[in-house]
Amino acid sequence: MRLAAERFDVLVIGAGFAGLHALHTLRGMGRKVAVLDAAADVGGVWYWNRYPGARCDVESLQYSYSFDEQLEQEWQWSERYAAQPEILRYIQHVADRFDLRRDLRLNTRVASAVFNEAGEFWLLSTEDGRQFAAPHCIMATGALSVPRLPDIPGIGDFKGAIHHTGQWPHEGVDFSGQRVGVIGTGSSGIQAIPQLAKQAAALTVFQRTANFSIPAWNRQLGDEEQQAFKAVYREHRARAREVGTLYEFSDKGAFDVSQAEREREFERRWNKGGVNFVHSFNDLSTNKAANDTIAEFVRARIRRTVKDPAVAESLCPTDHPLGTKRICVDTGYFETYNLPHVRLVDLKKTPIDRFESHGVKVAGEEIALDALVCATGYDALTGAVMAIDIRGRGGLSLRDKWAQGPRTLLGLMTAGFPNLFIITGAGSPSVLVNMIVGIEHHVQWITDCLDYLQQKSISTIEASVPAEDRWVEHVNAAANRTLLPLANSWFLGANIPGKPRVFMPYAAKIGIYRRECQAVADKGYEGFILSTAGAPA
Ligand code: N01
């Protein structure tokens, strides 16, 4: 069959951390690879998320690739938590250092991916009419890459600028002298709000759900501290493969100690900053009464920080256990509400009536706005995969197959879609761990698998339905052992109207998950159907 399509051994969709690592590894195996990305440069979420205050809340020495020792030794991080421009520079450096750019197809948005059963290849068509073909396709499309704008009556009538944090203008935005509104108080909003307050003449935050946030206590990284960490980088990386991020995990339950001791531990960790706080005791994510103790500690901090008691009360999260929505890490977030030009509108008490041309009407009051920032999140985990019209065996549409929620085996493949791999997708630990640790693991598993297929002359691999069903049940059971399903979070798709409520990430320690994936591979890819060219599946 003659194709107008460019042909490769493997096609990778997405040029973020996952796609670049997949490219580098596959190239090392001698495979001909193309990486397609809609963006004009590498970086994935770090290319798009340029809002003021954007930074990672995993410490920079950990939020980096481990696959090349020289890279990890030579790259110098400037801060404990790297800001977006520095992370983007790092990814660009990796692309240049490993000469990855020659295999990138940027400004290339994939519209459809169709499996040709007779020829056993994936045919990808782009929005501008180009085609690419390869026997194997890897979705490195990111867990949080499809921004979601709020569906608020009249928003289309608003004449001011509207910016989503995940699609921030590259030239930046100058809000000086402006009346700015912010919708959304998740990680993005909580990072952006203190920075926006520095510029805006008036800042109004429209909060639907109060969120837990822990201070980052971000700081410059000294050379000595950095060298000390790098001296034992291998040990740190090995540990991260077990636990995801190197937190101080406690072996005590919250009620194994006295109240005074518990408070001291919360205090100690609060003063160190970051997500480590949520690991103060080992039962905070599984025992509601234990969780209440840490939640109350944070609420007391909010009340102590925010001077207006009514505003403080609105900022206190009460409708979900701490950590069941992705915990936020901030710099001066709650303090921002003490500024005279910053106002909180509690949408639980006073919902938005509608947007108008020059502002918004809330409980009958008109609030004039020049610009609106939407920190309203993403169609998480499945959004980017389902944005592409993916067709598997017999023309099966992935959108149809996943209409009631994502179904995968190990999060890596989905039945009916041979040779289609997903990196850090639904059914894997994904967003519950340091993303780069999850990405490196998946790239290793997938590339080992491709190597195995080649050695055994196997042309297709796909998840079997019974194994996939068992995995989906296993993922549900893991979530149900925790408090995680208790919140209306994006983990469950609750932020997208009409999205089925299914807890998407796999809530087990990444070390356990890695062993599960390894056991499957060791047993000749148990639960997967392997077939040789032309043989019926
Ligand atoms: O998005 P979110 P995000 N009217 O979905 C509100 C990662 N990340 O971009 O909670 C009013 O968490 C919504 O309200 P509610 C991290 O994993 C990491 O902030 O649905 N409000 C919520 O407050 C993070 O979790 C970093 O009631 C509306 C907010 O918008 C993930 O990305 C930094 C609304 C959305 O919060 C997503 O974070 C940034 C409406 N119609 C992001 N619709 C770091 O590493 C939505 N909301 C630090």
Side-chain angles (χ1 to χ4, degrees):
M1 182 175 183
R2 237 180 101 71
L3 280 174
E6 270 191 81
R7 304 211 66 146
F8 296 89
D9 297 328
V10 185
L11 288 166
V12 178
I13 308 178
F17 271 106
L20 292 188
H21 183 37
L23 167 59
H24 177 64
T25 310
L26 287 162
R27 206 194 259 170
M29 294 160 59
R31 303 295 171 102
K32 186 179 172 206
V33 185
V35 178
L36 318 180
D37 198 301
D41 201 358
V42 297
V45 290
W46 299 107
Y47 173 86
W48 297 104
N49 277 262
R50 298 171 188 239
Y51 62 87
R55 66 176 70 245
C56 187
D57 61 14
V58 175
E59 297 194 17
S60 32
L61 282 159
Q62 298 184 51
Y63 192 78
S64 53
Y65 287 122
S66 75
F67 70 80
D68 188 278
E69 284 192 45
Q70 230 182 340
L71 168 71
E72 70 184 5
Q73 288 297 329
E74 284 173 13
W75 183 267
Q76 287 287 112
W77 293 101
S78 67
E79 293 178 90
R80 177 183 184 190
Y81 297 107
Q84 175 272 338
E86 187 170 18
I87 300 174
L88 187 58
R89 275 199 305 281
Y90 171 76
I91 304 176
Q92 290 167 338
H93 168 79
V94 170
D96 294 332
R97 184 181 181 118
F98 298 100
D99 187 24
L100 301 178
R101 291 186 186 275
R102 64 187 155 91
D103 290 327
L104 304 180
R105 299 290 189 282
L106 298 169
N107 300 301
T108 300
R109 187 176 286 282
V110 178
S112 67
V114 177
F115 186 66
N116 181 311
E117 287 190 72
E120 296 185 327
F121 63 85
W122 281 95
L123 181 65
L124 271 49
S125 303
T126 66
E127 277 187 353
D128 59 6
R130 285 171 292 155
Q131 291 197 314
F132 300 85
H136 300 99
C137 180
I138 300 176
M139 304 297 292
T141 38
L144 294 155
S145 51
V146 178
R148 161 100 194 145
L149 280 166
D151 234 353
I152 296 174
I155 196 157
D157 301 335
F158 181 60
K159 296 272 187 292
I162 300 181
H163 302 291
H164 191 287
T165 46
Q167 275 177 336
W168 203 258
H170 286 200
E171 63 282 10
V173 187
D174 183 5
F175 291 106
S176 312
Q178 295 195 8
R179 296 160 301 183
V180 179
V182 181
I183 302 182
T185 49
S187 295
S188 305
I190 280 176
Q191 287 185 331
I193 286 162
Q195 297 303 317
L196 294 171
K198 287 184 185 161
Q199 277 189 20
L203 184 73
T204 308
V205 178
F206 300 93
Q207 172 193 274
R208 187 164 69 184
T209 307
N211 229 326
F212 291 100
S213 188
I214 314 304
W217 308 128
N218 187 35
R219 54 178 163 72
Q220 297 294 305
L221 261 189
D223 272 357
E224 242 174 68
E225 181 181 1
Q226 197 149 177
Q227 287 322 314
F229 195 92
K230 287 179 173 180
V232 280
Y233 232 143
R234 295 296 88 201
E235 286 89 324
H236 287 318
R237 299 296 199 186
R239 174 114 182 92
R241 287 183 197 111
E242 269 305 304
V243 299
T245 314
L246 307 180
Y247 299 123
E248 231 184 298
F249 297 97
S250 172
D251 55 5
K252 288 188 187 136
F255 301 111
D256 292 343
V257 300
S258 67
Q259 186 183 344
E261 203 175 318
R262 206 162 48 235
E263 295 280 321
R264 270 199 303 280
E265 184 61 3
F266 292 149
E267 179 92 26
R268 183 182 75 79
R269 289 183 184 242
W270 182 271
N271 292 337
K272 283 178 115 178
V275 178
N276 192 45
F277 177 73
V278 311
H279 300 285
S280 300
F281 295 98
N282 64 11
D283 53 355
L284 298 171
S285 62
T286 50
N287 176 340
K288 175 70 170 59
N291 192 288
D292 287 344
T293 64
I294 194 168
E296 195 45 43
F297 179 90
V298 177
R299 286 189 286 265
R301 287 297 167 138
I302 296 170
R303 292 183 186 111
R304 197 195 288 181
T305 306
V306 179
K307 292 190 182 129
D308 181 325
V311 175
E313 230 31 63
S314 283
L315 287 166
C316 282
T318 50
D319 69 348
H320 61 280
L322 182 145
T324 55
K325 281 187 166 214
R326 171 69 157 70
I327 195 80
C328 301
V329 174
D330 72 275
T331 297
Y333 174 64
F334 293 111
E335 292 81 347
T336 301
Y337 293 94
N338 293 331
L339 298 173
H341 66 298
V342 176
R343 173 179 174 188
L344 179 74
V345 173
D346 184 342
L347 299 179
K348 289 252 157 70
K349 292 185 188 137
T350 52
I352 293 176
D353 300 330
R354 58 175 292 110
F355 268 86
E356 297 179 329
S357 58
H358 294 97
V360 61
K361 209 168 202 178
V362 177
E365 182 198 355
E366 279 174 26
I367 301 175
L369 297 176
D370 302 307
L372 178 68
V373 172
C374 292
T376 42
Y378 299 87
D379 186 352
L381 286 139
T382 55
V385 177
M386 287 167 84
I388 298 170
D389 185 8
I390 301 180
R391 305 279 169 156
R393 284 201 191 278
L396 175 64
S397 150
L398 188 70
R399 289 175 186 158
D400 288 345
K401 181 183 168 186
W402 284 8
Q404 300 310 314
R407 302 190 72 77
T408 67
L409 177 51
L410 300 175
L412 281 156
M413 298 195 89
T414 183
F417 297 81
N419 293 358
L420 181 77
F421 299 90
I422 306 167
I423 297 183
T424 58
S428 77
S430 181
V431 290
L432 297 180
V433 296
N434 177 349
M435 287 300 290
I436 301 184
V437 175
I439 284 168
E440 289 196 327
H441 169 237
H442 272 184
V443 168
Q444 185 71 56
W445 193 93
I446 293 167
T447 53
D448 284 351
C449 175
L450 292 181
D451 203 26
Y452 178 90
L453 301 184
Q454 188 177 48
Q455 281 173 32
K456 305 266 176 193
S457 303
I458 292 163
S459 59
T460 60
I461 177 167
E462 59 195 288
S464 75
V465 173
E468 179 171 288
D469 289 348
R470 283 194 298 276
W471 185 254
V472 170
E473 267 179 45
H474 183 63
V475 169
N476 287 337
N480 290 333
R481 282 194 291 274
T482 71
L483 303 173
L484 283 163
L486 296 184
N488 285 322
S489 68
W490 57 256
F491 296 141
L492 276 157
N495 62 328
I496 306 291
K499 191 166 174 172
R501 297 273 176 118
V502 173
F503 193 86
M504 294 181 284
Y506 176 39
K509 278 234 156 56
I510 191 159
I512 295 172
Y513 172 70
R514 291 174 72 96
R515 281 186 282 283
E516 289 172 326
C517 291
Q518 190 58 48
V520 165
D522 289 346
K523 290 182 199 152
Y525 295 90
E526 187 182 49
F528 290 88
I529 304 164
L530 312 181
S531 50
T532 47

